[in-house]
Amino acid sequence: MSLLVVGLSHRSAPVSVLERAALAADAQTKLLQDTVAAEPATEAAVLATCNRIELYADVDKFHAGVAELSTLLAQHSGVGLEELTPYLYVHYEDRAAHHLFSVACGLDSMVVGEGQILGQIKDSLARAQDLHTAGRLLNDLFQQGLRVGKRAHSETGIDRAGQSLVTFGLEQLAVGTDVGVWAQGKKALVIGAGSMSSLAAATLARAGVAEIVVANRTVERAERLAQILTEGDDTAVAARAVPMDAVPGELTRADVVVSCTGATGLVLTAEAVAQAVEGRTGQPAAELADTAPATPHGKALPAAGADENCPLDLAAAQPGFSVMGEAAVAGLDAATLEQHAAWVAGATVDRRERRTPEADAELITALAATAATVGRIPERRRPEPAAGIPRPAPSFFLLDLAMPRDIDAAVHRLAGVRLVDIESLAEASADAPMATDVDLVRRIVSDEVAAFGAAQRAAHITPTVVALRTMAADVVAGEIARLDGRLPDLDERQRGEIRQAVHRVVDKLLHAPTVRIKQLAAEPGGAGYADALRTLFDLDPETVASVSRAVDSTDKKDRPA
């Protein structure tokens, strides 16, 4: 069997694809179950975070394994295989271990060196263990990955190379100002009560915000987080919990909003944020002058399904986006864009009152030409202000850490509002300086990969060595029994001396070969030594297999819950 990982991340796929491929908890469970039920795989684990979805498996065939894992990812993510395939990466054997260890150290994170990934890897392993989809190989891999990550953080200064996604996001909100100074006296609304939201709330509390309101669908979890924030030694802050239906009212009182939920649709639409701005200022939310047409947030947005004869798939459109605006058409192929441009050009008087369809048609036609050249257009979410018109200083700050997104990307166009999300974090972190400690961590990863490979290859031959020694012990026992029958007059002391002498001879004969074969098996290409040993000593394959099953059973029994 061999280790295989198939996945996509912020390094291989645009955010628009990642958020569509995001897996809810139930989908992850079903994916694991279906993977181990598939023919090529015997073990499976899923690592799903805000910027990566990876499926790890122990497979007996490489090509069949890649095909099956890719198909399963597409089926459970809801993104077609043909569309998903260009963004997938594949790692096999040592390269797969190298990838996970790099991920565990934060080398592959959006913010290099962030430590939260260790908790996510631990959760992935726990889920696979609970579902009994993680066997010996994946347990060893993930547990060593956790050790490698901890080693990297304790032996190097990788923490200085980057911060957690939360800290980095708050720094982007603060726009060059020290986060502690920026946060003083502000009121914060945290939507969600999971691990990322809890980290955000604690970070805001330590930064010095005056109040934190936690909103969650399960109010009990929100209350528990609020209590922890209030009673914590380093997070003591005025905190309270509210249900999700209280969010619109809380938006008008908050200065900072952090959202990270598991919702599959938008939690905050552009309209909701615009209404909050109006509630805060008493004035309708102004829209930034822009080189691209914008969605009219100062009044009710057109519902995605309200326009007839639109060539878009309106059922899949996110609420809060104008079906004529740029966000609605991002990622479409050229033919559909051209159809859409023609539809917009023939807009009715009613739509013309809401927007200028000629401007939309011109934009969409240009986008169609781009798509015809480069295939598909990426989503363009932060507009460039018109020349000579500065963007006003923000007074309302939103941090969206969810995947798929919680907050409508069109919020970028509201004056006085600053939205930082996964995509903008990715762009900002791409230019972040790399610390010299990164090289040290890379060396640690390389050493640990070599050690892991050697241990796995040595473990592969252990059942064969055990079976050989078992066979030798059976031969000794048979010969001693035969000797007892031929020499019945020997006393017990004599019989004991003979047994010890025979055992010593067998142990000495087997010691050097078994030690040497374990050393050879640990080297690259050493897997063939087990086959040679079985052939030379005519070992029963079922005996070797039974030893392997016994070792696996012991590993599971001793494994921490």
Side-chain angles (χ1 to χ4, degrees), residues 23 35 43 52 164 181 194 206 220 277 288 345 347 417 459 535:
L23 297 172
T35 301
E43 302 180 32
R52 76 178 63 251
S164 74
V181 175
R206 286 191 289 267
E220 291 77 9
V277 171
L288 291 172
V417 177
T535 301

Side-chain angles (χ1 to χ4, degrees), residues 119-139:
Q120 294 164 330
I121 291 174
K122 184 177 180 181
D123 291 343
S124 296
L125 175 59
R127 182 185 302 106
Q129 288 174 336
D130 290 343
L131 295 171
H132 306 291
T133 63
R136 180 176 177 179
L137 176 60
L138 292 186
N139 271 286

Side-chain angles (χ1 to χ4, degrees), residues 4 37 85 141 145 152 168 181 217 252 283 290 294 331 381 384 434 530:
L4 174 67
T85 298
L141 175 72
F168 191 59
V181 175
R217 297 189 188 281
T252 63
Q283 299 293 327
D290 194 351
R381 293 192 285 158
E384 296 294 333
M434 299 288 283

Side-chain angles (χ1 to χ4, degrees), residues 539-547 549:
L539 297 177
D540 181 7
E542 179 54 34
T543 303
V544 177
S546 65
V547 174
R549 289 192 294 269

Side-chain angles (χ1 to χ4, degrees), residues 452-505:
F452 179 78
Q456 291 300 309
R457 289 187 288 270
H460 178 71
I461 204 169
T462 296
T464 303
V465 172
V466 172
L468 173 61
R469 288 191 171 275
T470 300
M471 184 191 75
D474 291 342
V475 171
V476 169
E479 290 301 314
I480 293 295
R482 193 168 69 88
L483 185 64
D484 288 344
R486 296 179 63 183
L487 300 173
D489 296 333
L490 292 176
D491 60 32
E492 192 58 37
R493 185 187 64 79
Q494 292 170 327
R495 294 178 189 281
E497 287 290 340
I498 292 173
R499 278 196 297 271
Q500 289 182 12
V502 175
H503 278 295
R504 280 197 298 270
V505 170

Side-chain angles (χ1 to χ4, degrees), residues 79 169 372 380 396 408 485 535 540:
V79 179
R380 177 178 174 275
F396 193 29
D408 191 338
T535 301
D540 181 7

Side-chain angles (χ1 to χ4, degrees), residues 359-383:
D360 271 334
E362 186 176 334
L363 168 69
I364 295 170
T365 301
L367 292 175
T370 301
T373 303
V374 300
R376 302 176 74 86
I377 60 170
E379 185 170 354
R380 177 178 174 275
R381 293 192 285 158
R382 285 192 306 285

